[in-house]
C-alpha cells in the first residue's frame, strides 16, 4: 500500500489507489551540469516517497489504524475506485503534495482513467481554489463599504 | 506505421538479448526466488485444457506493445504440414479449447483450414483478432466465416478512446476497430442470445498496470454502448509483458526498472498459483512446444524432459511438466493476475 513496501493487500489482489508501490520519477535525481553533489538539497526528494512506511516506526498502532482507514476509504463503494482516485488527484493538487500527485496520477491510470479526465479533475481543483480566493472579495467589499462614504 | 525491432536492427529483436536484460533486472528479486518464497516451486502443469497455436508473426499492424514483434515484414508462418501435425495431436486428446493467435492469425494461409478442422473435432475455437484485419479487402468474408464456425472472437481494444488506442496500436486503428466491431455486432457477435461470443482485450497504453477487470468492463460497456452503439460479452484485462517491443518502450522511456519493481511489489500468490501456463500448451509457428506464448517469444521451450515439438506431442508427458520461468513471469502474477483470459485471481 503506501510507500514501496508490500502493496498486495489481500486475496482479491486489490491495490490501494494511491501510493501503491509508486516508484518515484528518476528524473528528479538528475543533477544539472556544473552543480556539485549535495547542492540540490531540497525538502522534497522523490526517493522519500519510498520511505513513507517508515512512519510506522514511531507509532505502529496509529499507522495500522491509518492504513486500515485509508484502505477502506478507497475501496469500491457508493463511488467507484476510479472516481475516488480522480478525487484524490484533485485533492493532491489542492494540497500541492508532489508525492501525492506522483502516486495519484499512476493510480488514476491504473483505475482506467485517462488524461482528459485527469486534466478536468485538476481544473476542478483550480476552479475551487480560484473561487475560494474570489469569494473572499466579499470580505474586501464589506470592508470597503464599511470605510467608504 | 512503426517498424518491427527486427526491421530496425534493434538488439532486442534477439530473444537472447531480451533474456539477458530481464535477468539483469536490479529492482526485483529473481522470479524463481519469489515463487520459492511463496512455496510455489517447482511449478508444475495441472493438465492441458487450452491448445494455443501461434501461426506466425505476420501482421497488418505494428503495435508498440507487441510481445511478438509482429509486423508486415515478418515472414515466419506456420506451414500446412505443421498445422496438420497440430490437428493430429489435438485429435488424440480431449483438450476442449483451441486458441489461435499470431501476428494476425487470420492472415496465415492455413488459418481457415485450422478453424474448420478444430471445429470438426468438436473443439471450441478462439481467434485472437486485431479487428482491423476484418476490413482488409481480401478478408471481406472473414467475419462471416468466423460466425459460420461459431468461433469466439477475442479482439484487442486497449481503450474506449482514440488517443490511447492509437498511441498503442497505430494511427487510425481506433476508427477501424469500431468499424470492425460494428460489423461483428451486425453478425450477432456480442449480442445476447446469438451464441456468438465477442470478448475484448485491454492492455494498458503505458507503463502501468491494468485496472480491475470488473470495473473496467463496466466502463467499457457503458462507453462503447453510449458513444458508439457497440456491445460485447466480456472484457479481459491483460498486463503488458516486459518482452519485445514493450520491453523496448520500457527501456527507452526510462520506465523499465520501476515497472519491474511495480510488478514484483504487486506479486500475488493466488495469481501465481493460477497462471495460465499450468493448463496451456503453446505451439510455435515451427511446431516447437512452449508453456505459453510469452515463453515462445523468448525462445524458452518446455522443459527438456517433455516432448518439445508437435510431432512428438504426448499429452501424458506434458500434463505434469515443470513450468519454465524467468523474470517476465512477474507480468502474470501481479495484482489480480493476468492471462490470455484476463485476470486470474
Amino acid at each position: 500500500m503506501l510507500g514501496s513496501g508490500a502493496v498486495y493487500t489481500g486475496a482479491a489482489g486489490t491495490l490501494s489507489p494511491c501510493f501503491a508501490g509508486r516508484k518515484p520519477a528518476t528524473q528528479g535525481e538528475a543533477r544539472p551540469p556544473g552543480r556539485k553533489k549535495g547542492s540540490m538539497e531540497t525538502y522534497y526528494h522523490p526517493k522519500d516517497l519510498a520511505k513513507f512506511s517508515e512512519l510506522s516506526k514511531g507509532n505502529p498502532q496509529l499507522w495500522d489504524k491509518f492504513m486500515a482507514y485509508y484502505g477502506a476509504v478507497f475501496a469500491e463503494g457508493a463511488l467507484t475506485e476510479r472516481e475516488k482516485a480522480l478525487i484524490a488527484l484533485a485533492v493532491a493538487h489542492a494540497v500541492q503534495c508532489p508525492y501525492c500527485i506522483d502516486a495519484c496520477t499512476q493510480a488514476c491510470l491504473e483505475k482506467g482513467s485517462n488524461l482528459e479526465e485527469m486534466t478536468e479533475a485538476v481544473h476542478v481543483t483550480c476552479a475551487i481554489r480560484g473561487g475560494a480566493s474570489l469569494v473572499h472579495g466579499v470580505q474586501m467589499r464589506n470592508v470597503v463599504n464599511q470605510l467608504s462614504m | 506505421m512503426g517498424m518491427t525491432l527486427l526491421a530496425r536492427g534493434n538488439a532486442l529483436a534477439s530473444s537472447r538479448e531480451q533474456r539477458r536484460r530481464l535477468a539483469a533486472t536490479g529492482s526485483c528479486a529473481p522470479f524463481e526466488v519469489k515463487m520459492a518464497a511463496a512455496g510455489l516451486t517447482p511449478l508444475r502443469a495441472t493438465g492441458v485444457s487450452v491448445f494455443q497455436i501461434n501461426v506466425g508473426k505476420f501482421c497488418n499492424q505494428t503495435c508498440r506493445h507487441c510481445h511478438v514483434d509482429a509486423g508486415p515484414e515478418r515472414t515466419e508462418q506456420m506451414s500446412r504440414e505443421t498445422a496438420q501435425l497440430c490437428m493430429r495431436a489435438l485429435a488424440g486428446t480431449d483438450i476442449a479449447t483451441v486458441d489461435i493467435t499470431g501476428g494476425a492469425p487470420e492472415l496465415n494461409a492455413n488459418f481457415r483450414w485450422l478453424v474448420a478442422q478444430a471445429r470438426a473435432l468438436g473443439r471450441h475455437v478462439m481467434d485472437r483478432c486485431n479487428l482491423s484485419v476484418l476490413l482488409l479487402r481480401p478478408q471481406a468474408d472473414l467475419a462471416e466465416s468466423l460466425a459460420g464456425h461459431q468461433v469466439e472472437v477475442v479482439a484487442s481494444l486497449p481503450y474506449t478512446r482514440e488517443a490511447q488506442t492509437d498511441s498503442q496500436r497505430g494511427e487510425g486503428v481506433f476508427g477501424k476497430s469500431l468499424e470492425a466491431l460494428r460489423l461483428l455486432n451486425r453478425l450477432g457477435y456480442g449480442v445476447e442470445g446469438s451464441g456468438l461470443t465477442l470478448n475484448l482485450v485491454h492492455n494498458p497504453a503505458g507503463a502501468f498496470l491494468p485496472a480491475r477487470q470488473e470495473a473496467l468492463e463496466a466502463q467499457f460497456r457503458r462507453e462503447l454502448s453510449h458513444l458508439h452503439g457497440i456491445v460485447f460479452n466480456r472484457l479481459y484485462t491483460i498486463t503488458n509483458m516486459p518482452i519485445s517491443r514493450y520491453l523496448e518502450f520500457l527501456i527507452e522511456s526510462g520506465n523499465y526498472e520501476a515497472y519491474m519493481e511495480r510488478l514484483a511489489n504487486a506479486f500475488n500468490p493466488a495469481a501465481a498459483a493460477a497462471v495460465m501456463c499450468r493448463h496451456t500448451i503453446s505451439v510455435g509457428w515451427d511446431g516447437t512446444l512452449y508453456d505459453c506464448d510469452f515463453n515462445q517469444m523468448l525462445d524458452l521451450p518446455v522443459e527438456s524432459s517433455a516432448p518439445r515439438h508437435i510431432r512428438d506431442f504426448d499429452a501424458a508427458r506434458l500434463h505434469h511438466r515443470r513450468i519454465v520461468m524467468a523474470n517476465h513471469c512477474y507480468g502474470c502474477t501481479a495484482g489480480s493476475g493476468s492471462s490470455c483470459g484476463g485476470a486470474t485471481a
Side-chain angles (χ1 to χ4, degrees), chain A residues 62-149:
Chain A
L62 285 179
W63 173 263
D64 289 345
K65 286 180 178 178
F66 173 76
M67 292 299 290
Y69 172 75
Y70 187 95
V73 164
F74 281 103
E76 192 96 356
L79 293 173
T80 64
E81 291 177 332
R82 177 164 159 268
E83 290 164 340
K84 289 178 179 181
L86 283 165
I87 293 170
L89 181 72
V91 175
H93 281 79
V95 297
Q96 294 183 314
C97 166
Y99 303 123
C100 308
I101 293 170
D102 193 347
C104 292
T105 298
Q106 178 155 351
C108 282
L109 289 171
E110 295 191 343
K111 296 302 174 192
S113 191
N114 56 58
L115 185 60
E116 291 81 2
E117 291 175 347
M118 292 156 68
T119 303
E120 287 186 18
V122 174
H123 276 292
V124 170
T125 306
C126 180
I128 294 298
R129 286 189 67 125
S133 295
L134 200 58
V135 75
H136 283 77
V138 175
Q139 279 192 314
M140 173 272 290
R141 291 182 62 83
N142 289 343
V143 175
V144 169
N145 289 338
Q146 176 67 32
L147 296 179
S148 301
M149 284 192 285

Side-chain angles (χ1 to χ4, degrees), chain B residues 191-212:
Chain B
V191 178
E192 197 173 341
S194 70
L196 294 173
T197 303
L198 171 60
N199 294 326
L200 303 182
V201 169
H202 157 83
N203 290 85
F208 50 91
L209 300 185
R212 196 164 53 82

